[in-house]
Amino acid sequence: MSGRQRCARSAGIAEAVLAGEPLTAADSTHLAGCPACTRLAARVPSLESGIARAALALSIEGPIPAGVLDTGVVEAPIERPGAGSGLRVASLATVAAVAVAVTVIGLGMLRPPSVSPAPGVVDPVAEAARVVALLEAGGLTCADATLNKRLTPPLVGESCRAPAVTGVNRSAVIYTTATGETWVEGKVMVADRTNDAQVRPATDFLLDVAAAGIPESGQSITVRGYLGGWLDDRSRPRDQWVILGDRLIELEGSWAQGFVLRIGPP
C-alpha cells in the first residue's frame, strides 16, 4: 500500500489546472500548503507531454481516426525551428473524453484549444511594472539599467538581483522591445552542481521568475511543473521550451554552465 499522503481536494484542483481555469483563492491557499495537491499539479506537464508525443506518433504511424483532428478537438504539436525540444500546449477542457479515447485506441490526444475570449491589449509598461513588483515582493532588488548599449536606441529595462548565497549567482532582467513585447529573463549559476545548498536556491529562483512572468495562476503552476522536471537532472544540458497561451517559456543551459530562462511572446 502506498504511504503517500492523499487529499480529497486534489482531483478538483488538478481538473482546474488541466482546464486552464484560474484557481479560486481558497484553492490557491490550499495548494500552497498541501504537498499532495502540489505533487499532483506538478505532474500535469508530464501528462501534457505524453499526450503530445502520442498524438505525433499517431500521425506518423497511420491514419488518424475520423474526428480526432477536427477543428476545436485537437491542436497538433509544433516544432520551433532552430531550437531544442518543445511543445505548444493548449487548454484541456474535456479530460474525461480524452481519457476514454486513450483507453479505446491506446494513444494520446492533444488538449482542445482554449475557448476563452482573446485577451485585451496589454500595456507593456504596466506589464513590466507588474513583473518587477512581484520580484521585489519576493526579495529581489531591482533598478533601472541599460541592458544593451549596442542597440539603437539602447535597450533599457530593470535589472534585479537576489540576496547573496555562497556559491550561487542569481539575476533577472525585465525589458520591453521597440515593438512593445515584454520579456523576462532569469539567470542562475552555481559553483557546485552536486551541492543541494546551492542548487535549491537557484532552482527556487527560476521558479519564482517563472511565476512572475506568467500572470495566470493555473498556467503558472503548470510552468513550475515543467521547470521542476527540466531542472531535476543535474548531469545533462537543456534546450527546451513550451508555449502556454500567449507566453513562450524557454530554458537553456546546464547546471555545469548555468541556466537562462526566457519568458515572452511566442
Side-chain angles (χ1 to χ4, degrees):
M1 180 179 294
S2 173
R4 281 192 172 183
Q5 179 184 355
R6 298 179 181 274
C7 177
R9 298 179 63 173
S10 294
I13 290 176
E15 183 177 351
V17 173
L18 284 167
E21 298 173 353
L23 295 178
T24 65
D27 282 345
S28 296
T29 300
H30 173 79
L31 185 64
C34 178
C37 291
T38 300
R39 184 171 58 249
L40 184 61
R43 292 177 61 189
V44 169
S46 297
L47 171 62
E48 292 167 339
S49 298
I51 288 172
R53 288 193 300 271
L56 182 58
L58 174 62
S59 67
I60 293 172
E61 293 176 2
I64 298 175
V68 170
L69 293 183
D70 288 350
T71 302
V73 174
V74 63
E75 178 180 342
I78 64 168
E79 293 188 5
R80 186 160 162 257
S85 59
L87 294 171
R88 179 187 297 272
V89 182
S91 297
L92 179 57
T94 53
V95 180
V98 170
V100 170
V102 170
T103 302
V104 173
I105 66 174
L107 291 167
M109 297 181 190
L110 288 182
R111 304 187 305 165
S114 171
V115 295
S116 301
V121 177
V122 177
D123 179 357
V125 175
E127 174 64 9
R130 181 194 66 79
V131 175
V132 170
L134 288 174
L135 292 176
E136 289 183 329
L140 275 69
T141 301
C142 301
D144 294 338
T146 299
L147 305 177
N148 191 334
K149 297 179 180 179
R150 298 178 181 178
L151 297 180
T152 304
L155 180 64
V156 297
E158 293 277 338
S159 177
C160 304
R161 288 200 169 273
V165 174
T166 302
V168 184
N169 189 343
R170 302 175 293 174
S171 63
V173 296
I174 303 93
Y175 59 89
T176 301
T177 66
T179 56
E181 299 175 338
T182 300
W183 283 86
V184 183
E185 293 186 6
K187 298 181 180 181
V188 299
M189 183 173 290
V190 299
D192 182 2
R193 65 183 178 183
T194 67
N195 187 341
D196 286 343
Q198 296 180 16
V199 171
R200 183 174 296 278
T203 299
D204 290 344
F205 175 78
L206 291 179
L207 294 177
D208 289 343
V209 170
I214 305 295
E216 201 278 316
S217 59
Q219 290 183 352
S220 178
I221 293 170
T222 300
V223 169
R224 290 172 67 90
Y226 270 106
L227 287 176
W230 293 345
L231 295 168
D232 216 26
D233 187 347
R234 303 184 192 181
S235 62
R236 66 191 187 110
R238 295 286 181 178
D239 181 6
Q240 294 181 269
W241 61 275
V242 66
I243 294 176
L244 278 178
D246 61 353
R247 287 290 190 277
L248 163 70
I249 301 92
E250 183 178 37
L251 182 72
E252 282 187 306
S254 68
W255 282 115
Q257 301 294 327
F259 279 109
V260 178
L261 171 68
R262 301 182 183 90
I263 300 175

PDB file of all heavy atoms in Angstrom, residues 80 121-129 131 147 155-157 173-185 213 246-248 263-266:
ATOM      1  N   ARG A  80       9.620  24.362 -33.051  1.00  0.00           N
ATOM      2  CA  ARG A  80      10.130  25.708 -33.234  1.00  0.00           C
ATOM      3  C   ARG A  80      11.469  25.596 -33.936  1.00  0.00           C
ATOM      4  O   ARG A  80      12.411  25.043 -33.378  1.00  0.00           O
ATOM      5  CB  ARG A  80      10.292  26.371 -31.865  1.00  0.00           C
ATOM      6  CG  ARG A  80      10.676  27.813 -31.908  1.00  0.00           C
ATOM      7  CD  ARG A  80      10.315  28.449 -30.569  1.00  0.00           C
ATOM      8  NE  ARG A  80      11.010  29.693 -30.388  1.00  0.00           N
ATOM      9  CZ  ARG A  80      12.078  29.837 -29.607  1.00  0.00           C
ATOM     10  NH1 ARG A  80      12.541  28.805 -28.946  1.00  0.00           N
ATOM     11  NH2 ARG A  80      12.671  30.995 -29.471  1.00  0.00           N
ATOM     12  N   VAL A 121      -5.582  44.243 -25.178  1.00  0.00           N
ATOM     13  CA  VAL A 121      -4.223  44.734 -25.382  1.00  0.00           C
ATOM     14  C   VAL A 121      -3.595  45.056 -24.027  1.00  0.00           C
ATOM     15  O   VAL A 121      -4.181  45.742 -23.197  1.00  0.00           O
ATOM     16  CB  VAL A 121      -4.235  45.996 -26.270  1.00  0.00           C
ATOM     17  CG1 VAL A 121      -2.818  46.540 -26.417  1.00  0.00           C
ATOM     18  CG2 VAL A 121      -4.836  45.675 -27.629  1.00  0.00           C
ATOM     19  N   VAL A 122      -2.399  44.522 -23.796  1.00  0.00           N
ATOM     20  CA  VAL A 122      -1.712  44.725 -22.527  1.00  0.00           C
ATOM     21  C   VAL A 122      -0.750  45.894 -22.658  1.00  0.00           C
ATOM     22  O   VAL A 122       0.031  45.968 -23.615  1.00  0.00           O
ATOM     23  CB  VAL A 122      -0.949  43.448 -22.122  1.00  0.00           C
ATOM     24  CG1 VAL A 122      -0.165  43.670 -20.841  1.00  0.00           C
ATOM     25  CG2 VAL A 122      -1.917  42.283 -21.966  1.00  0.00           C
ATOM     26  N   ASP A 123      -0.795  46.802 -21.704  1.00  0.00           N
ATOM     27  CA  ASP A 123       0.140  47.917 -21.668  1.00  0.00           C
ATOM     28  C   ASP A 123       1.505  47.370 -21.284  1.00  0.00           C
ATOM     29  O   ASP A 123       1.686  46.860 -20.167  1.00  0.00           O
ATOM     30  CB  ASP A 123      -0.341  48.941 -20.634  1.00  0.00           C
ATOM     31  CG  ASP A 123       0.592  50.131 -20.527  1.00  0.00           C
ATOM     32  OD1 ASP A 123       1.639  50.144 -21.194  1.00  0.00           O
ATOM     33  OD2 ASP A 123       0.280  51.060 -19.756  1.00  0.00           O
ATOM     34  N   PRO A 124       2.516  47.449 -22.189  1.00  0.00           N
ATOM     35  CA  PRO A 124       3.822  46.857 -21.875  1.00  0.00           C
ATOM     36  C   PRO A 124       4.483  47.481 -20.657  1.00  0.00           C
ATOM     37  O   PRO A 124       5.189  46.800 -19.910  1.00  0.00           O
ATOM     38  CB  PRO A 124       4.639  47.097 -23.154  1.00  0.00           C
ATOM     39  CG  PRO A 124       3.924  48.188 -23.882  1.00  0.00           C
ATOM     40  CD  PRO A 124       2.484  48.046 -23.532  1.00  0.00           C
ATOM     41  N   VAL A 125       4.289  48.778 -20.446  1.00  0.00           N
ATOM     42  CA  VAL A 125       4.880  49.432 -19.275  1.00  0.00           C
ATOM     43  C   VAL A 125       4.265  48.875 -17.995  1.00  0.00           C
ATOM     44  O   VAL A 125       4.958  48.551 -17.026  1.00  0.00           O
ATOM     45  CB  VAL A 125       4.685  50.959 -19.344  1.00  0.00           C
ATOM     46  CG1 VAL A 125       5.197  51.630 -18.065  1.00  0.00           C
ATOM     47  CG2 VAL A 125       5.396  51.531 -20.562  1.00  0.00           C
ATOM     48  N   ALA A 126       2.936  48.722 -18.002  1.00  0.00           N
ATOM     49  CA  ALA A 126       2.252  48.183 -16.832  1.00  0.00           C
ATOM     50  C   ALA A 126       2.639  46.726 -16.606  1.00  0.00           C
ATOM     51  O   ALA A 126       2.785  46.282 -15.464  1.00  0.00           O
ATOM     52  CB  ALA A 126       0.740  48.306 -17.005  1.00  0.00           C
ATOM     53  N   GLU A 127       2.805  45.964 -17.700  1.00  0.00           N
ATOM     54  CA  GLU A 127       3.183  44.556 -17.579  1.00  0.00           C
ATOM     55  C   GLU A 127       4.577  44.425 -16.966  1.00  0.00           C
ATOM     56  O   GLU A 127       4.803  43.607 -16.078  1.00  0.00           O
ATOM     57  CB  GLU A 127       3.139  43.886 -18.952  1.00  0.00           C
ATOM     58  CG  GLU A 127       3.648  42.454 -18.996  1.00  0.00           C
ATOM     59  CD  GLU A 127       2.816  41.491 -18.186  1.00  0.00           C
ATOM     60  OE1 GLU A 127       1.722  41.862 -17.705  1.00  0.00           O
ATOM     61  OE2 GLU A 127       3.268  40.343 -18.008  1.00  0.00           O
ATOM     62  N   ALA A 128       5.521  45.232 -17.450  1.00  0.00           N
ATOM     63  CA  ALA A 128       6.877  45.191 -16.891  1.00  0.00           C
ATOM     64  C   ALA A 128       6.873  45.588 -15.419  1.00  0.00           C
ATOM     65  O   ALA A 128       7.555  44.971 -14.601  1.00  0.00           O
ATOM     66  CB  ALA A 128       7.801  46.112 -17.689  1.00  0.00           C
ATOM     67  N   ALA A 129       6.078  46.609 -15.086  1.00  0.00           N
ATOM     68  CA  ALA A 129       5.992  47.050 -13.689  1.00  0.00           C
ATOM     69  C   ALA A 129       5.391  45.959 -12.809  1.00  0.00           C
ATOM     70  O   ALA A 129       5.797  45.782 -11.650  1.00  0.00           O
ATOM     71  CB  ALA A 129       5.161  48.323 -13.603  1.00  0.00           C
ATOM     72  N   VAL A 131       5.657  42.680 -13.242  1.00  0.00           N
ATOM     73  CA  VAL A 131       6.668  41.644 -13.022  1.00  0.00           C
ATOM     74  C   VAL A 131       7.699  42.116 -11.999  1.00  0.00           C
ATOM     75  O   VAL A 131       8.079  41.372 -11.089  1.00  0.00           O
ATOM     76  CB  VAL A 131       7.360  41.275 -14.350  1.00  0.00           C
ATOM     77  CG1 VAL A 131       8.496  40.286 -14.108  1.00  0.00           C
ATOM     78  CG2 VAL A 131       6.356  40.703 -15.333  1.00  0.00           C
ATOM     79  N   LEU A 147      20.522  47.742 -20.637  1.00  0.00           N
ATOM     80  CA  LEU A 147      20.813  46.323 -20.793  1.00  0.00           C
ATOM     81  C   LEU A 147      21.648  46.017 -22.028  1.00  0.00           C
ATOM     82  O   LEU A 147      22.361  45.014 -22.052  1.00  0.00           O
ATOM     83  CB  LEU A 147      19.497  45.545 -20.852  1.00  0.00           C
ATOM     84  CG  LEU A 147      18.541  45.774 -19.664  1.00  0.00           C
ATOM     85  CD1 LEU A 147      17.240  45.012 -19.882  1.00  0.00           C
ATOM     86  CD2 LEU A 147      19.184  45.368 -18.350  1.00  0.00           C
ATOM     87  N   LEU A 155      18.880  49.380 -25.387  1.00  0.00           N
ATOM     88  CA  LEU A 155      17.817  48.645 -24.707  1.00  0.00           C
ATOM     89  C   LEU A 155      17.896  48.918 -23.212  1.00  0.00           C
ATOM     90  O   LEU A 155      18.927  48.672 -22.579  1.00  0.00           O
ATOM     91  CB  LEU A 155      17.958  47.141 -24.964  1.00  0.00           C
ATOM     92  CG  LEU A 155      16.901  46.247 -24.310  1.00  0.00           C
ATOM     93  CD1 LEU A 155      15.519  46.548 -24.886  1.00  0.00           C
ATOM     94  CD2 LEU A 155      17.249  44.770 -24.494  1.00  0.00           C
ATOM     95  N   VAL A 156      16.815  49.445 -22.670  1.00  0.00           N
ATOM     96  CA  VAL A 156      16.775  49.737 -21.244  1.00  0.00           C
ATOM     97  C   VAL A 156      15.678  48.906 -20.581  1.00  0.00           C
ATOM     98  O   VAL A 156      14.752  48.430 -21.243  1.00  0.00           O
ATOM     99  CB  VAL A 156      16.527  51.234 -20.986  1.00  0.00           C
ATOM    100  CG1 VAL A 156      17.665  52.068 -21.532  1.00  0.00           C
ATOM    101  CG2 VAL A 156      15.196  51.675 -21.583  1.00  0.00           C
ATOM    102  N   GLY A 157      15.800  48.727 -19.284  1.00  0.00           N
ATOM    103  CA  GLY A 157      14.809  47.953 -18.555  1.00  0.00           C
ATOM    104  C   GLY A 157      15.136  47.936 -17.085  1.00  0.00           C
ATOM    105  O   GLY A 157      15.717  48.892 -16.565  1.00  0.00           O
ATOM    106  N   VAL A 173      16.347  40.183 -15.583  1.00  0.00           N
ATOM    107  CA  VAL A 173      16.108  41.449 -16.270  1.00  0.00           C
ATOM    108  C   VAL A 173      14.700  41.423 -16.844  1.00  0.00           C
ATOM    109  O   VAL A 173      14.182  40.370 -17.208  1.00  0.00           O
ATOM    110  CB  VAL A 173      17.143  41.727 -17.389  1.00  0.00           C
ATOM    111  CG1 VAL A 173      18.534  41.890 -16.808  1.00  0.00           C
ATOM    112  CG2 VAL A 173      17.117  40.631 -18.438  1.00  0.00           C
ATOM    113  N   ILE A 174      14.094  42.598 -16.889  1.00  0.00           N
ATOM    114  CA  ILE A 174      12.769  42.771 -17.473  1.00  0.00           C
ATOM    115  C   ILE A 174      12.864  43.941 -18.440  1.00  0.00           C
ATOM    116  O   ILE A 174      13.356  45.015 -18.067  1.00  0.00           O
ATOM    117  CB  ILE A 174      11.701  43.069 -16.401  1.00  0.00           C
ATOM    118  CG1 ILE A 174      11.675  41.960 -15.348  1.00  0.00           C
ATOM    119  CG2 ILE A 174      10.331  43.211 -17.051  1.00  0.00           C
ATOM    120  CD1 ILE A 174      12.562  42.241 -14.153  1.00  0.00           C
ATOM    121  N   TYR A 175      12.407  43.739 -19.669  1.00  0.00           N
ATOM    122  CA  TYR A 175      12.500  44.830 -20.638  1.00  0.00           C
ATOM    123  C   TYR A 175      11.373  44.728 -21.657  1.00  0.00           C
ATOM    124  O   TYR A 175      10.750  43.675 -21.808  1.00  0.00           O
ATOM    125  CB  TYR A 175      13.852  44.824 -21.352  1.00  0.00           C
ATOM    126  CG  TYR A 175      14.159  43.555 -22.104  1.00  0.00           C
ATOM    127  CD1 TYR A 175      13.783  43.387 -23.437  1.00  0.00           C
ATOM    128  CD2 TYR A 175      14.838  42.509 -21.480  1.00  0.00           C
ATOM    129  CE1 TYR A 175      14.059  42.219 -24.121  1.00  0.00           C
ATOM    130  CE2 TYR A 175      15.125  41.331 -22.167  1.00  0.00           C
ATOM    131  CZ  TYR A 175      14.740  41.192 -23.480  1.00  0.00           C
ATOM    132  OH  TYR A 175      15.015  40.029 -24.153  1.00  0.00           O
ATOM    133  N   THR A 176      11.128  45.828 -22.336  1.00  0.00           N
ATOM    134  CA  THR A 176      10.127  45.894 -23.397  1.00  0.00           C
ATOM    135  C   THR A 176      10.816  46.285 -24.696  1.00  0.00           C
ATOM    136  O   THR A 176      11.565  47.267 -24.739  1.00  0.00           O
ATOM    137  CB  THR A 176       9.038  46.923 -23.057  1.00  0.00           C
ATOM    138  OG1 THR A 176       8.412  46.554 -21.826  1.00  0.00           O
ATOM    139  CG2 THR A 176       7.983  46.975 -24.149  1.00  0.00           C
ATOM    140  N   THR A 177      10.597  45.498 -25.752  1.00  0.00           N
ATOM    141  CA  THR A 177      11.236  45.761 -27.035  1.00  0.00           C
ATOM    142  C   THR A 177      10.571  46.955 -27.720  1.00  0.00           C
ATOM    143  O   THR A 177       9.523  47.444 -27.299  1.00  0.00           O
ATOM    144  CB  THR A 177      11.150  44.532 -27.947  1.00  0.00           C
ATOM    145  OG1 THR A 177       9.765  44.307 -28.282  1.00  0.00           O
ATOM    146  CG2 THR A 177      11.700  43.300 -27.251  1.00  0.00           C
ATOM    147  N   ALA A 178      11.193  47.378 -28.812  1.00  0.00           N
ATOM    148  CA  ALA A 178      10.655  48.513 -29.565  1.00  0.00           C
ATOM    149  C   ALA A 178       9.282  48.209 -30.145  1.00  0.00           C
ATOM    150  O   ALA A 178       8.500  49.123 -30.432  1.00  0.00           O
ATOM    151  CB  ALA A 178      11.625  48.902 -30.678  1.00  0.00           C
ATOM    152  N   THR A 179       8.970  46.930 -30.317  1.00  0.00           N
ATOM    153  CA  THR A 179       7.670  46.535 -30.853  1.00  0.00           C
ATOM    154  C   THR A 179       6.626  46.300 -29.755  1.00  0.00           C
ATOM    155  O   THR A 179       5.529  45.821 -30.035  1.00  0.00           O
ATOM    156  CB  THR A 179       7.806  45.256 -31.706  1.00  0.00           C
ATOM    157  OG1 THR A 179       8.410  44.221 -30.921  1.00  0.00           O
ATOM    158  CG2 THR A 179       8.670  45.524 -32.933  1.00  0.00           C
ATOM    159  N   GLY A 180       6.981  46.613 -28.503  1.00  0.00           N
ATOM    160  CA  GLY A 180       6.021  46.506 -27.412  1.00  0.00           C
ATOM    161  C   GLY A 180       5.925  45.138 -26.769  1.00  0.00           C
ATOM    162  O   GLY A 180       4.952  44.855 -26.063  1.00  0.00           O
ATOM    163  N   GLU A 181       6.920  44.266 -26.987  1.00  0.00           N
ATOM    164  CA  GLU A 181       6.904  42.937 -26.381  1.00  0.00           C
ATOM    165  C   GLU A 181       7.670  42.959 -25.055  1.00  0.00           C
ATOM    166  O   GLU A 181       8.810  43.416 -25.004  1.00  0.00           O
ATOM    167  CB  GLU A 181       7.533  41.910 -27.321  1.00  0.00           C
ATOM    168  CG  GLU A 181       6.807  41.775 -28.654  1.00  0.00           C
ATOM    169  CD  GLU A 181       7.533  40.843 -29.596  1.00  0.00           C
ATOM    170  OE1 GLU A 181       8.756  40.634 -29.406  1.00  0.00           O
ATOM    171  OE2 GLU A 181       6.897  40.314 -30.528  1.00  0.00           O
ATOM    172  N   THR A 182       7.044  42.463 -24.012  1.00  0.00           N
ATOM    173  CA  THR A 182       7.681  42.423 -22.693  1.00  0.00           C
ATOM    174  C   THR A 182       8.341  41.064 -22.486  1.00  0.00           C
ATOM    175  O   THR A 182       7.715  40.022 -22.676  1.00  0.00           O
ATOM    176  CB  THR A 182       6.650  42.667 -21.580  1.00  0.00           C
ATOM    177  OG1 THR A 182       6.046  43.951 -21.777  1.00  0.00           O
ATOM    178  CG2 THR A 182       7.310  42.624 -20.201  1.00  0.00           C
ATOM    179  N   TRP A 183       9.600  41.088 -22.091  1.00  0.00           N
ATOM    180  CA  TRP A 183      10.375  39.874 -21.851  1.00  0.00           C
ATOM    181  C   TRP A 183      10.909  39.853 -20.428  1.00  0.00           C
ATOM    182  O   TRP A 183      11.244  40.897 -19.859  1.00  0.00           O
ATOM    183  CB  TRP A 183      11.551  39.772 -22.825  1.00  0.00           C
ATOM    184  CG  TRP A 183      11.145  39.345 -24.197  1.00  0.00           C
ATOM    185  CD1 TRP A 183      10.706  40.149 -25.213  1.00  0.00           C
ATOM    186  CD2 TRP A 183      11.124  38.011 -24.703  1.00  0.00           C
ATOM    187  NE1 TRP A 183      10.406  39.393 -26.320  1.00  0.00           N
ATOM    188  CE2 TRP A 183      10.654  38.082 -26.040  1.00  0.00           C
ATOM    189  CE3 TRP A 183      11.455  36.773 -24.166  1.00  0.00           C
ATOM    190  CZ2 TRP A 183      10.519  36.947 -26.840  1.00  0.00           C
ATOM    191  CZ3 TRP A 183      11.319  35.643 -24.967  1.00  0.00           C
ATOM    192  CH2 TRP A 183      10.858  35.737 -26.287  1.00  0.00           C
ATOM    193  N   VAL A 184      10.970  38.647 -19.877  1.00  0.00           N
ATOM    194  CA  VAL A 184      11.571  38.426 -18.567  1.00  0.00           C
ATOM    195  C   VAL A 184      12.653  37.370 -18.749  1.00  0.00           C
ATOM    196  O   VAL A 184      12.417  36.327 -19.367  1.00  0.00           O
ATOM    197  CB  VAL A 184      10.531  37.914 -17.541  1.00  0.00           C
ATOM    198  CG1 VAL A 184      11.164  37.764 -16.160  1.00  0.00           C
ATOM    199  CG2 VAL A 184       9.333  38.845 -17.494  1.00  0.00           C
ATOM    200  N   GLU A 185      13.843  37.635 -18.224  1.00  0.00           N
ATOM    201  CA  GLU A 185      14.932  36.674 -18.310  1.00  0.00           C
ATOM    202  C   GLU A 185      15.536  36.472 -16.920  1.00  0.00           C
ATOM    203  O   GLU A 185      15.831  37.434 -16.222  1.00  0.00           O
ATOM    204  CB  GLU A 185      16.026  37.139 -19.270  1.00  0.00           C
ATOM    205  CG  GLU A 185      15.581  37.198 -20.724  1.00  0.00           C
ATOM    206  CD  GLU A 185      16.724  37.533 -21.672  1.00  0.00           C
ATOM    207  OE1 GLU A 185      17.885  37.598 -21.185  1.00  0.00           O
ATOM    208  OE2 GLU A 185      16.467  37.734 -22.866  1.00  0.00           O
ATOM    209  N   GLY A 213       6.535  35.940 -14.365  1.00  0.00           N
ATOM    210  CA  GLY A 213       6.351  36.186 -15.791  1.00  0.00           C
ATOM    211  C   GLY A 213       5.077  35.616 -16.370  1.00  0.00           C
ATOM    212  O   GLY A 213       4.707  35.941 -17.498  1.00  0.00           O
ATOM    213  N   ASP A 246      -0.377  32.785 -24.369  1.00  0.00           N
ATOM    214  CA  ASP A 246       0.354  33.813 -25.113  1.00  0.00           C
ATOM    215  C   ASP A 246       1.770  33.998 -24.575  1.00  0.00           C
ATOM    216  O   ASP A 246       2.360  35.054 -24.713  1.00  0.00           O
ATOM    217  CB  ASP A 246      -0.397  35.147 -25.058  1.00  0.00           C
ATOM    218  CG  ASP A 246      -0.556  35.673 -23.636  1.00  0.00           C
ATOM    219  OD1 ASP A 246      -0.209  34.935 -22.679  1.00  0.00           O
ATOM    220  OD2 ASP A 246      -1.028  36.814 -23.471  1.00  0.00           O
ATOM    221  N   ARG A 247       2.335  32.950 -23.974  1.00  0.00           N
ATOM    222  CA  ARG A 247       3.682  33.045 -23.414  1.00  0.00           C
ATOM    223  C   ARG A 247       4.558  31.880 -23.894  1.00  0.00           C
ATOM    224  O   ARG A 247       4.155  30.722 -23.885  1.00  0.00           O
ATOM    225  CB  ARG A 247       3.651  33.017 -21.887  1.00  0.00           C
ATOM    226  CG  ARG A 247       3.138  34.292 -21.235  1.00  0.00           C
ATOM    227  CD  ARG A 247       4.116  35.444 -21.401  1.00  0.00           C
ATOM    228  NE  ARG A 247       3.726  36.585 -20.584  1.00  0.00           N
ATOM    229  CZ  ARG A 247       2.834  37.485 -20.939  1.00  0.00           C
ATOM    230  NH1 ARG A 247       2.211  37.354 -22.099  1.00  0.00           N
ATOM    231  NH2 ARG A 247       2.545  38.508 -20.156  1.00  0.00           N
ATOM    232  N   LEU A 248       5.777  32.223 -24.311  1.00  0.00           N
ATOM    233  CA  LEU A 248       6.814  31.244 -24.584  1.00  0.00           C
ATOM    234  C   LEU A 248       7.697  31.145 -23.348  1.00  0.00           C
ATOM    235  O   LEU A 248       8.124  32.156 -22.793  1.00  0.00           O
ATOM    236  CB  LEU A 248       7.654  31.694 -25.788  1.00  0.00           C
ATOM    237  CG  LEU A 248       9.015  31.001 -25.973  1.00  0.00           C
ATOM    238  CD1 LEU A 248       8.817  29.551 -26.397  1.00  0.00           C
ATOM    239  CD2 LEU A 248       9.869  31.756 -26.987  1.00  0.00           C
ATOM    240  N   ILE A 263      11.080  34.290 -20.831  1.00  0.00           N
ATOM    241  CA  ILE A 263       9.626  34.272 -20.913  1.00  0.00           C
ATOM    242  C   ILE A 263       9.173  35.493 -21.720  1.00  0.00           C
ATOM    243  O   ILE A 263       9.529  36.627 -21.384  1.00  0.00           O
ATOM    244  CB  ILE A 263       8.983  34.298 -19.524  1.00  0.00           C
ATOM    245  CG1 ILE A 263       9.437  33.078 -18.708  1.00  0.00           C
ATOM    246  CG2 ILE A 263       7.453  34.336 -19.628  1.00  0.00           C
ATOM    247  CD1 ILE A 263       8.940  33.091 -17.279  1.00  0.00           C
ATOM    248  N   GLY A 264       8.429  35.245 -22.772  1.00  0.00           N
ATOM    249  CA  GLY A 264       7.967  36.344 -23.606  1.00  0.00           C
ATOM    250  C   GLY A 264       6.937  35.844 -24.601  1.00  0.00           C
ATOM    251  O   GLY A 264       6.471  34.709 -24.539  1.00  0.00           O
ATOM    252  N   PRO A 265       6.588  36.677 -25.577  1.00  0.00           N
ATOM    253  CA  PRO A 265       5.596  36.264 -26.585  1.00  0.00           C
ATOM    254  C   PRO A 265       6.173  35.200 -27.500  1.00  0.00           C
ATOM    255  O   PRO A 265       7.373  35.200 -27.792  1.00  0.00           O
ATOM    256  CB  PRO A 265       5.310  37.569 -27.340  1.00  0.00           C
ATOM    257  CG  PRO A 265       6.539  38.411 -27.133  1.00  0.00           C
ATOM    258  CD  PRO A 265       7.047  38.062 -25.767  1.00  0.00           C
ATOM    259  N   PRO A 266       5.345  34.256 -27.974  1.00  0.00           N
ATOM    260  CA  PRO A 266       5.828  33.195 -28.870  1.00  0.00           C
ATOM    261  C   PRO A 266       6.163  33.730 -30.253  1.00  0.00           C
ATOM    262  O   PRO A 266       5.769  34.816 -30.621  1.00  0.00           O
ATOM    263  CB  PRO A 266       4.655  32.221 -28.922  1.00  0.00           C
ATOM    264  CG  PRO A 266       3.452  33.032 -28.583  1.00  0.00           C
ATOM    265  CD  PRO A 266       3.923  34.102 -27.644  1.00  0.00           C
TER     266      PRO A 266
END
